[in-house]
């Protein structure tokens, strides 16, 4: 039986119409290059240097100081400005905890700063009849800085060892000053109306001296949260006993000692 071979017709392939190339006029190319050159030129031009600054977070006196520290950037083009260097210059004022700078090509800048929050002030010998103009303060992180004298300062008084009174605190371990800041802050919360002194001695032992109250030995920086919990319970639940107590030792918070 003869077999018939059938030839299948192949489908015709569709040929996509060719797109005509987009023609770019020489004028458009030249305009594009001119705009690029203009942008680059502006970026490196003193016309984009820092001309005006908006400062947020501080008062008028600090604003003037910040503006003075940014004067060198009034001649530096925007493309060469380094905001990190600007922020470092601003933080040359130790009263400031942080600074954030933004600038734009139009010569405008914005500075947002956060001021340090003082929780303690170093003891200062004050001559009779003389009001100091400045004092040394401690923030919550234990950083010591100089600021204007606040007559009605509500924070704790801080007494440091004689060797630290020159404020070269780098020679001391870092942790005692940080602990001093923590103790000052916690004391403000526990005794908001009580005048007191935070003492750091030569052995880096911390203690508290309450005016018309007991002396409190805290010991080292360890377990400060637990130590203040013991003190909080004692002054809340045993007020009469606290009036008779002369010394409280919470250096071991699980075994506090109350001496009358």
């Amino acid at each position: 039986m003869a077999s018939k071979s059938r030839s299948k017709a192949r489908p015709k392939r569709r040929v996509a119409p060719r797109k005509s190339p987009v023609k770019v006029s020489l004028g458009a190319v030249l305009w594009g290059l001119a705009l690029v050159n203009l942008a680059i030129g502006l970026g490196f031009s003193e016309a984009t240097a820092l001309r005006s600054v908006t400062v947020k977070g501080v008062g008028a006196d600090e604003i003037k100081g910040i503006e003075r520290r940014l004067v060198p950037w009034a001649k530096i083009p925007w493309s060469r400005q380094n905001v990190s260097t600007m922020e470092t210059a601003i933080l040359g004022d130790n009263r400031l905890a942080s600074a954030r700078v933004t600038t734009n090509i139009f010569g405008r800048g914005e500075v947002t700063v956060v001021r340090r929050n003082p929780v303690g002030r170093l003891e200062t010998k004050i001559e009779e009849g003389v009001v100091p103009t400045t004092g040394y303060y401690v923030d919550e992180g234990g950083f010591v800085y100089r600021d204007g004298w606040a007559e009605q300062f509500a924070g704790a008084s801080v007494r440091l060892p004689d060797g630290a009174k020159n404020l070269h605190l780098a020679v001391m371990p870092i942790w005692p000053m940080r602990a001093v800041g923590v103790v000052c802050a916690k004391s403000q919360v526990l005794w908001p109306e009580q005048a007191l002194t935070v003492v750091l001695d030569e052995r880096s032992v911390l203690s508290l001296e309450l005016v018309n109250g007991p002396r409190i030995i805290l010991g080292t920086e360890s377990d400060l949260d637990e130590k203040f919990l013991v003190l909080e319970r004692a002054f809340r639940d045993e007020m009469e006993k606290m009036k008779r107590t002369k010394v409280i030792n919470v250096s071991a918070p699980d075994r506090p000692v109350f001496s009358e």
Side-chain angles (χ1 to χ4, degrees):
M1 185 175 177
S3 61
K4 296 181 179 180
S5 61
R6 297 179 180 178
S7 61
K8 296 182 179 180
R10 294 181 179 178
K12 293 182 178 180
R13 297 177 63 183
R14 292 184 179 180
V15 179
R18 292 184 178 180
K19 294 182 179 179
S20 57
V22 178
K23 294 181 179 179
V24 180
S25 66
L26 179 60
V29 173
L30 293 176
W31 270 109
L33 291 174
L35 290 174
V36 171
N37 286 332
L38 178 62
I40 294 174
L42 281 175
F44 287 92
S45 169
E46 283 192 16
T48 61
L50 195 61
R51 301 296 181 189
S52 64
V53 179
T54 301
V55 182
K56 299 179 180 179
V58 290
D61 291 340
E62 289 90 346
I63 289 176
K64 291 179 181 178
I66 290 171
E67 289 175 343
R68 284 195 298 270
R69 291 176 184 273
L70 294 178
V71 165
W73 279 270
K75 295 183 179 180
I76 299 177
W78 176 74
S79 62
R80 295 181 178 177
Q81 292 173 4
N82 187 319
V83 295
S84 178
T85 305
M86 292 181 184
E87 291 166 354
T88 300
I90 292 170
L91 293 178
D93 184 346
N94 289 332
R95 298 173 298 176
L96 305 178
S98 65
R100 183 176 180 272
V101 177
T102 57
T103 62
N104 60 35
I105 200 170
F106 302 107
R108 301 188 187 96
E110 182 175 291
V111 180
T112 304
V113 295
V114 176
R115 219 178 186 283
R116 294 189 184 279
N117 177 37
V119 293
R121 182 167 64 191
L122 301 193
E123 282 189 341
T124 304
K125 291 183 179 180
I126 303 175
E127 297 181 9
E128 188 176 352
V130 177
V131 179
T133 56
T134 61
Y136 287 95
Y137 296 83
V138 182
D139 70 2
E140 294 181 12
F143 187 86
V144 178
Y145 62 100
R146 192 174 185 176
D147 202 351
W149 186 264
E151 189 66 29
Q152 302 299 323
F153 179 65
S157 179
V158 177
R159 187 183 308 152
L160 298 179
D162 291 337
K165 288 183 179 178
N166 56 10
L167 297 184
H168 295 312
L169 299 177
V171 301
M172 298 177 61
I174 294 175
W175 68 260
M177 286 311 302
R178 182 174 180 82
V180 167
V182 171
V183 171
C184 288
K186 287 181 175 293
S187 299
Q188 277 188 330
V189 175
L190 188 54
W191 301 288
E193 305 296 330
Q194 173 71 58
L196 57 88
T197 301
V198 177
V199 181
L200 177 68
D201 68 13
E202 291 80 0
R203 300 169 299 161
S204 295
V205 172
L206 288 158
S207 60
L208 288 167
E209 295 179 359
L210 277 64
V211 176
N212 300 322
R215 177 172 179 263
I216 301 170
I217 302 172
L218 296 169
T220 64
E221 65 165 343
S222 63
D223 303 321
L224 285 176
D225 290 340
E226 289 80 358
K227 293 170 183 178
F228 271 87
L229 281 175
V230 172
L231 294 172
E232 181 183 1
R233 287 194 295 266
F235 279 85
R236 182 189 62 216
D237 302 334
E238 302 179 80
M239 184 57 69
E240 291 303 319
K241 179 180 178 180
M242 292 301 99
K243 291 179 181 179
R244 302 190 305 271
T245 300
K246 302 298 183 184
V247 179
I248 303 173
N249 190 330
V250 290
S251 55
D254 56 336
R255 299 185 303 278
V257 178
F258 300 86
S259 303
E260 297 185 8

